[in-house]
Amino acid sequence: YGINSAPSGKMDGQDVTVFGASSNHPVNLNNTVISTAQSYTSAFSITMTPVWQPGCNAITLSVNIQATAPFTAVGNLIFRCVMVERKINFAVQPGTNGEKDFEDVAIKSFPNIQNGTSMAGTWTNGQTQSFVLNCPLPSYTRKKSEVAFVGFIQDDGNRRVAQAARTSPLPLPAEQVAAIGASVNVACSSNISPIATVKNDGTVTINN
């Protein structure tokens, strides 16, 4: 399962040649190879629901896994979760190859990429497993509005990925004060006592 060259491609945790490519080089990931991989059915469905925690420095991720067919793993069956930034754009290249645009940049795994979350080794059709992950944003997160999650079920016995899912970036909650009121007719010589209604449209307390 090693990576012996760069760049090198894997698909569903397997060599790309399994799906008809001539080698593991990414140049061979053509439409035919991808369509062949897509034609394989999975025994699982994954639903991931992210919610910002107050302060928007962490996300609570609710995960639900359901078997859509019987399944028996070869080794330990693990759900692995990776926080990504969907699209990152640099004004100046950060490296030496000129690339300034990056997609699905992995920034942290929860609880960690080695252990993940353990799953049962044998599943019956309709069986479910649900759990919640607390996901603090690392200090090096570049753009909160691009944060998303990739989750995948992997059999550590043969490294095969049984199913994967990705969330969309989670919009930041509105943190703003809106003044809502009615218009009044004011003559230049009159005194008025204005009244304003203040409303917090966000999920975070406004303190000043």
Side-chain angles (χ1 to χ4, degrees):
Y1 307 111
I3 302 297
N4 301 314
S5 62
S8 183
K10 294 284 185 180
M11 185 176 288
D12 288 346
Q14 304 173 76
D15 287 340
V16 184
T17 54
V18 170
F19 304 101
S22 57
S23 77
N24 284 334
H25 195 289
V27 73
N28 295 304
L29 288 175
N30 55 42
N31 287 338
T32 300
V33 173
I34 294 172
S35 295
T36 299
Q38 287 178 326
S39 69
Y40 287 32
T41 58
S42 173
F44 296 97
S45 64
I46 302 172
T47 303
M48 298 188 295
T49 305
V51 176
W52 282 109
Q53 295 181 15
C56 296
N57 291 315
I59 292 174
T60 299
L61 184 68
S62 299
V63 180
N64 180 263
I65 299 168
Q66 182 172 12
T68 54
F71 182 89
T72 299
V74 176
N76 292 328
L77 195 62
I78 306 294
F79 176 84
R80 293 187 162 96
C81 176
V82 181
M83 179 185 287
V84 302
E85 288 179 275
R86 283 288 292 116
K87 294 182 180 180
I88 298 299
N89 311 106
F90 291 91
V92 178
Q93 63 176 29
T96 59
N97 66 353
E99 183 61 62
K100 295 187 290 185
D101 302 316
F102 301 86
E103 297 184 6
D104 291 310
V105 179
I107 58 176
K108 191 171 179 60
S109 299
F110 299 94
N112 60 64
I113 196 65
Q114 290 80 16
N115 299 328
T117 301
S118 296
M119 298 173 55
T122 301
W123 289 67
T124 57
N125 188 18
Q127 184 176 337
T128 62
Q129 180 177 349
S130 298
F131 50 91
V132 176
L133 297 174
N134 177 44
C135 306
L137 270 65
S139 59
Y140 47 81
T141 304
R142 297 169 183 85
K143 196 172 183 180
K144 291 183 179 181
S145 60
E146 290 295 331
V147 170
F149 291 89
V150 173
F152 57 98
I153 299 169
Q154 188 168 30
D155 186 338
D156 279 1
N158 54 20
R159 302 292 190 241
R160 292 184 180 179
V161 173
Q163 182 60 289
R166 184 184 67 187
T167 69
S168 297
L170 183 61
L172 289 165
E175 297 177 12
Q176 61 184 6
V177 175
I180 306 173
S183 62
V184 294
N185 295 320
V186 181
C188 293
S189 61
S190 65
N191 295 322
I192 64 169
S193 298
I195 297 174
T197 300
V198 179
K199 179 183 178 183
N200 180 3
D201 285 328
T203 59
V204 179
T205 301
I206 296 176
N207 297 313
N208 54 42

